């Protein structure tokens, strides 16, 4: 998955402070979720594209990131009121 200019600008603009959880919708490569994992106790990344899900899981594993959960689905569907973040 390509990391575009918008992803790099968003990474620069995000405030990094400790939080209990973070949600990255339409995660793509997972770059924002991986960055959030450095300051969030747990992170959930969601994408409808199976390739993006595989890419994010691969990147998390390559970076030895254990507080990132990746789910496949449309927007809030995988983390709605019957699912946990």
């Amino acid at each position: 998955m390509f990391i575009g200019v918008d992803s790099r600008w968003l990474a620069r603009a995000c405030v990094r402070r400790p939080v209990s959880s973070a949600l990255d919708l339409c995660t793509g490569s997972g770059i924002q979720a991986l960055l959030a994992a450095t300051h969030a106790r747990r992170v959930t990344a969601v994408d409808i594209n199976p390739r993006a899900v595989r890419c994010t899981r691969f990147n998390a594993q390559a970076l030895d990131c254990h507080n990132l959960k990746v789910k496949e689905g449309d927007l809030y569907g995988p983390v709605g009121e019957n699912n946990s973040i």
Side-chain angles (χ1 to χ4, degrees):
M1 311 282 349
F2 177 72
I3 298 173
V5 174
D6 53 344
S7 293
R8 291 192 299 268
W9 277 107
L10 180 58
R12 288 185 195 118
C14 283
V15 176
R16 308 270 175 219
R17 64 174 184 245
V19 294
S20 61
S21 63
L23 175 62
D24 181 13
L25 293 177
C26 305
T27 194
S29 67
I31 184 66
Q32 304 304 328
L34 290 163
L35 290 170
T38 64
H39 59 44
R41 251 189 356 204
R42 66 180 183 270
V43 178
T44 303
V46 178
D47 205 295
I48 196 168
N49 184 332
R51 183 176 175 211
V53 170
R54 287 191 306 272
C55 183
T56 301
R57 284 189 180 133
F58 175 84
N59 288 334
Q61 185 176 17
L63 293 171
D64 201 29
C65 181
H66 298 286
N67 60 334
L68 173 58
K69 190 184 308 182
V70 185
K71 297 184 176 192
E72 183 178 334
D74 190 19
L75 297 174
Y76 295 103
V79 295
E81 63 184 70
N82 294 327
N83 297 295
S84 64
I85 294 178

